[in-house]
Amino acid sequence: MGRIEAVLFASASPVGREDLARVVGQGVSVETLIDDIQAELVGRPYELVHVAGGWMFRTKPQFADAIKAAADLGDQSLAFTEMEMGVLCAIAYHQPIDRAGLKDIFGKEVSRDLLARLRYKDLIASGPRSPRPGAPHTFVTTETFLTTFDFQTLRDLPELDLATDGANEQARTLQA
């Protein structure tokens, strides 16, 4: 248990089951050890969560203000404009998608600056080339996207109600 905790504590990103099994040996039940660690963390200000195909320690959300105050982080956050959240949702649900596809969804061009901000936050990355003429670049979400929004895989995205305004509903769903 201690070896798994040490690896997870030292990692800034989710650690997969295979990596944890190498640490403790293939004959050991990683899932049982994870369950034991989670049981020990009940009542603690942090928890062990399963996100983006692996496990990682996370501070519980109710302690966010205390951490910001202690670290003097001010108002730093992943705050999004409505358009950024809409574009992020459109990419998540329709990936790989190019700028023309985003224009079809929003009825207007999506600025390169907006896409650059999402890239800077490591929430999107370049995907495969589109089969459209000129083979434009496409966009896909990243592991950071999954981790940020507590998704294991893209299959965990909430179902969309197609009768509603798509992009705005996507944004509200992810912000919730």
Side-chain angles (χ1 to χ4, degrees):
M1 224 165 77
R3 286 183 281 175
I4 285 183
E5 278 188 80
V7 169
L8 293 171
F9 181 78
S11 179
S13 59
V15 180
R17 187 204 179 290
E18 300 79 28
D19 294 328
L20 295 174
R22 274 197 310 273
V23 170
V24 295
Q26 295 297 330
V28 178
S29 172
V30 171
E31 290 76 14
T32 300
L33 292 173
I34 293 289
D35 289 343
D36 291 346
I37 293 168
Q38 287 177 319
E40 285 189 9
L41 296 177
V42 171
R44 304 293 304 195
Y46 53 93
E47 59 193 347
L48 184 56
V49 295
H50 196 222
V51 293
W55 294 93
M56 70 184 299
F57 283 114
R58 281 240 175 114
T59 306
K60 291 180 180 174
Q62 64 260 35
F63 297 101
D65 290 337
I67 292 170
K68 285 180 186 176
D72 195 24
L73 297 176
D75 290 331
Q76 287 183 10
S77 70
L78 279 176
F80 298 99
T81 65
E82 186 175 331
M83 187 65 178
E84 286 172 333
M85 184 55 78
V87 169
L88 185 57
C89 291
I91 292 170
Y93 280 96
H94 301 285
Q95 63 186 297
I97 188 169
D98 61 15
R99 287 184 71 218
L102 291 171
K103 181 180 179 183
D104 291 344
I105 291 171
F106 293 100
K108 64 180 183 179
E109 289 288 331
V110 172
S111 79
R112 293 182 193 275
D113 289 342
L114 184 151
L115 293 167
R117 286 191 302 274
L118 295 175
R119 274 185 198 259
Y120 178 76
K121 294 176 181 181
D122 193 29
L123 297 170
I124 65 169
S126 292
R129 293 290 194 142
S130 172
R132 294 183 191 231
H137 288 280
T138 63
F139 303 97
V140 296
T141 55
T142 64
E143 182 177 300
T144 300
F145 169 84
L146 294 173
T147 303
T148 299
F149 292 102
D150 288 327
F151 294 131
Q152 185 63 287
T153 70
L154 291 172
R155 284 182 234 113
D156 296 334
L157 286 168
E159 292 292 323
L160 289 179
D161 179 5
L162 298 177
T164 62
D165 180 18
N168 287 334
E169 180 63 22
Q170 290 170 358
R172 283 190 295 276
T173 301
L174 273 183
Q175 284 179 326

